[in-house]
Amino acid sequence: MSIGVAALAMPSVARAQTASRRYRLDRAGSEIGTHDISISRSGDTMTVDVSIAIAVRVLGLVAYRYEMTSREIWQNGMLRSIRSRSDNNGDATFVNADRSGSVIRIDGSAFAGTADAGVGTTSYWNPAILDRPVWISTQGGTPLDIRATRTGTASYPVSGGTVATTAYALGAELPATVHYTASGEWAGSTFDARGSQVTYIADSLSPAFAEIWSES
């Protein structure tokens, strides 16, 4: 499989470019949370900010809560750093990771050590990371072995309709399926949560993320 790592190559530009998107998380027909992502680029450097808020209610009471904020810095298509904080139903987790030469040094609540500098991350924002066999979990910092496998095409839901996507299963260490459009937009993801499927549904796929990291 080749998605084209070159898609992460970011040409230098004089002006900054930005785009933001919100995904709502749907479980069994009910909205349980939101996932906001904002991307900006200045020259060869990209900043990716993520904010996730989930609250699962049972009989009107919150039975499960999850919150996360993270910031990734990418430079010339390579991860430079991650700063992430999350609260998983009362369990605090964190990731502090920085590139040092040919490795990423990770100090996380679930892992402390190094990974090859050519890693991806679990923020999903760019399909080029599907070619990368190791992703750093933004919850805890664990390096995950990813075996992204194309599973077919789909008519994937977005707010107000559907969009044609290609689906990829990520493997045993990250049991989720991610969907990307032909132009490289992350349309959304699905995963199982205690027997029910959770589906990411984008408010809109415009403005485009893809135009920020690759030439038109």
Side-chain angles (χ1 to χ4, degrees):
M1 179 191 70
S2 179
I3 306 303
V5 172
L8 262 173
M10 294 167 287
S12 293
V13 294
R15 63 186 179 85
Q17 296 172 285
T18 62
S20 297
R21 184 174 300 162
R22 167 164 284 191
Y23 300 82
R24 74 176 190 271
L25 279 64
D26 181 275
R27 179 174 181 257
S30 297
E31 182 177 327
I32 61 169
T34 56
H35 179 128
D36 293 304
I37 183 165
S38 178
I39 297 174
S40 65
R41 185 182 78 181
S42 181
D44 62 5
T45 301
M46 293 187 68
T47 301
V48 182
D49 287 307
V50 174
S51 177
I52 302 172
I54 298 172
V56 179
R57 289 177 168 80
V58 177
L59 299 177
L61 300 177
V62 175
Y64 172 79
R65 187 182 299 278
Y66 178 84
E67 296 177 345
M68 187 189 82
T69 58
S70 70
R71 168 167 285 188
E72 301 173 10
I73 307 293
W74 294 75
Q75 189 170 40
N76 291 319
M78 302 287 284
L79 182 66
R80 194 175 79 188
S81 66
I82 301 174
R83 296 291 182 269
S84 177
R85 297 290 182 272
S86 57
D87 182 334
N88 186 10
N89 213 34
D91 263 343
T93 65
F94 67 89
V95 184
N96 298 311
D98 295 278
R99 189 170 74 220
S100 177
S102 62
V103 299
I104 295 283
R105 300 192 181 280
I106 305 166
D107 175 23
S109 54
F111 177 85
T114 62
D116 184 87
V119 295
T121 70
T122 56
S123 56
Y124 305 139
W125 62 276
N126 194 318
I129 63 173
L130 294 173
D131 282 332
R132 304 187 180 198
V134 176
W135 294 7
I136 296 175
S137 169
T138 52
Q139 179 182 302
T142 301
L144 303 174
D145 291 327
I146 299 299
R147 298 292 181 265
T149 304
R150 185 183 186 275
T151 60
T153 58
S155 183
Y156 191 83
V158 294
S159 182
T162 61
V163 64
T165 63
T166 301
Y168 298 87
L170 299 180
E173 293 200 6
L174 187 55
T177 299
V178 291
H179 291 257
Y180 297 96
T181 68
S183 63
E185 295 301 316
W186 175 40
S189 307
T190 60
F191 61 91
D192 181 79
R194 300 183 180 181
S196 296
Q197 180 174 278
V198 174
T199 302
Y200 272 63
I201 301 174
D203 282 357
S204 172
L205 298 184
S206 178
F209 288 168
E211 294 174 0
I212 297 180
W213 71 76
S214 62
E215 294 180 348
S216 299

